[in-house]
Amino acid sequence: MIKTYELDVAVTRGDGVESEHRVNAAVVGEGDQLLGAARDAESFTYWRSCAKPFQVIPFLTSGAFDALGWGDEQLAVSCASHGGEPEHVALVEGMLRDIGLEEGDLACGPHEPSSQRGAKAVRDSGDRPTRVHNNCSGKHTAMLALAREKRWPTRGYERREHNVQRGILHEISLWTDIPCGKIVQAVDGCGVVVFGMTLERMARAYSRFAVAAGRGEEQPLRVLKAMSGHPFLVGGTDRIDSAVIHETKGRVVSKVGAEGVHCAFLADRGIGIAIKVEDGAQRAQVPALLRLLQELDALPDPLPPRLAEWMRKPVKNTRGESVGEVMMRADA
């Protein structure tokens, strides 16, 4: 029997609910079994950055990653939506040097670091953010490295007709069971190819990934070890994925995506989850993720302090006063 979850999020002001965010989700277990859903598990959306653990696999299987002598840190940041903190920037810059390329070769655009610490470091330096500060710069550098090592053109590596993206599309097809020709493709916020599918297929892929890693399959296990062993590199000081991975000691690996998409797998249970906030509000996806993980007994109730602060976020006015909260609709 498929379990039903209530994951909608409310935004209060004073004693009343001012706004609501509808949340869809799919929970898939071993054997591609749909175990649970919130609203519509078959709702369609784009995978966004949640696809990164799969996008790096062709790089690993090609042998190019190991030929560069890279290790878990480089692998973790290749899967990351990092906060643009000094450690992230230094690591990506080192990867670019290793392949004889530079920041201008990245197809992603510059933006202010996603973490407060990273943004402060840029402000204090008096410099402007670069493409390396982009939260997807690790993924892009990995794609560039694959092209470089295979002697493919590095220019245009982000386009769907490039061999890098063709290989990634094939990999996505394997994990989701969607034929390559049926996978909807568009352009992600960072300029590279993004894949559209149902939440059930996303959760299926994450479940399969956990099962494969649990069986000791080389590439999924390498990705799992890198992400669980270096949670800071996956996100950053104030990034939810780093907090979840750290607090669960890697039993849960979560991966944020833009427009209210979030995925995770329960490494020791072969369960994958995918969440989509219908209106794309990022403020709603984290409490929904945490509540679903609690429902699956992957997180305790009450939450540890580092995660509890994400479950109920204050709404503040321009004077810094708390005038409401972002919280689960069921708790409002």
Side-chain angles (χ1 to χ4, degrees):
M1 182 176 178
I2 299 174
K3 187 171 182 179
T4 301
Y5 301 102
E6 297 291 336
L7 299 179
D8 290 356
V9 173
V11 183
T12 66
R13 185 170 296 272
D15 296 327
V17 173
E18 185 172 40
S19 302
E20 293 187 34
H21 303 287
R22 292 162 50 100
V23 181
N24 297 289
V27 180
V28 174
E30 292 192 46
D32 302 336
Q33 181 182 4
L34 183 65
L35 302 177
R39 294 192 178 272
D40 184 9
E42 294 294 326
S43 61
F44 172 93
T45 192
Y46 289 98
W47 215 356
R48 305 303 295 263
S49 286
C50 302
K52 287 175 180 175
F54 303 91
Q55 288 171 297
V56 78
I57 292 179
F59 186 23
L60 294 174
T61 56
S62 72
F65 183 92
D66 293 320
L68 287 162
W70 289 354
D72 284 354
E73 291 187 349
Q74 288 84 0
L75 183 51
V77 84
S78 297
C79 299
S81 294
H82 66 72
E85 296 177 60
E87 298 87 345
H88 302 122
V89 171
L91 184 55
V92 173
E93 287 177 338
M95 292 166 69
L96 286 168
R97 285 195 299 271
D98 288 345
I99 58 176
L101 296 175
E102 57 188 19
E103 180 248 343
D105 293 300
L106 296 171
C108 56
H111 66 60
E112 183 171 287
S114 304
S115 74
Q116 295 180 26
R117 176 172 173 259
K120 183 178 185 300
V122 172
R123 290 195 303 271
D124 290 348
S125 71
D127 295 328
R128 293 182 178 181
T130 70
R131 297 179 186 187
V132 178
H133 291 95
N134 188 299
N135 70 300
C136 296
S137 64
K139 174 184 75 174
H140 277 256
T141 301
M143 291 176 178
L144 268 175
L146 175 57
R148 189 76 159 180
E149 291 296 302
K150 298 290 285 186
R151 300 186 184 279
W152 296 330
T154 54
R155 187 176 180 84
Y157 72 89
E158 77 280 8
R159 298 173 185 161
R160 68 176 66 182
E161 64 270 15
H162 195 282
N163 284 338
V164 167
Q165 300 306 326
R166 288 177 178 175
I168 290 172
L169 176 65
H170 177 70
E171 193 71 34
I172 297 296
S173 175
L174 292 176
W175 290 98
T176 60
D177 258 352
I178 307 173
C180 290
K182 297 290 186 180
I183 297 176
V184 177
Q185 298 181 68
V187 180
D188 209 336
C190 64
V192 80
V193 178
V194 66
F195 312 100
M197 63 192 70
T198 66
L199 291 176
E200 187 277 334
R201 293 299 172 129
M202 296 178 192
R204 179 186 300 196
Y206 265 74
S207 171
R208 289 180 170 189
F209 195 94
V211 171
R215 285 197 302 255
E217 292 188 19
E218 182 181 3
Q219 310 311 346
L221 184 57
R222 290 181 71 179
V223 172
L224 168 60
K225 286 183 175 179
M227 295 180 73
S228 61
H230 297 277
F232 170 77
L233 295 179
V234 176
T237 302
D238 52 5
R239 304 282 282 168
I240 186 61
D241 292 331
S242 298
V244 167
I245 295 169
H246 180 267
E247 292 294 330
T248 63
K249 297 180 171 58
R251 292 188 301 274
V252 178
V253 174
S254 68
K255 187 68 204 64
V256 68
E259 288 297 317
V261 179
H262 221 119
C263 291
F265 61 77
L266 281 54
D268 55 351
R269 293 165 57 189
I271 292 176
I273 67 175
I275 288 172
K276 166 65 177 176
V277 183
E278 284 190 6
D279 62 5
Q282 289 190 315
R283 67 181 179 179
Q285 72 194 74
V286 173
L289 170 72
L290 296 177
R291 176 55 54 86
L292 182 53
L293 290 173
Q294 285 182 315
E295 293 278 358
L296 293 168
D297 295 322
L299 287 176
D301 186 7
L303 290 166
R306 188 180 179 189
L307 295 179
E309 66 183 51
W310 292 87
M311 183 60 87
R312 298 177 77 111
K313 282 282 190 180
V315 175
K316 296 185 177 181
N317 64 15
T318 55
R319 299 195 302 187
E321 300 166 330
S322 294
V323 296
E325 290 183 298
V326 180
M327 60 194 297
M328 298 305 299
R329 182 66 180 88
D331 297 337

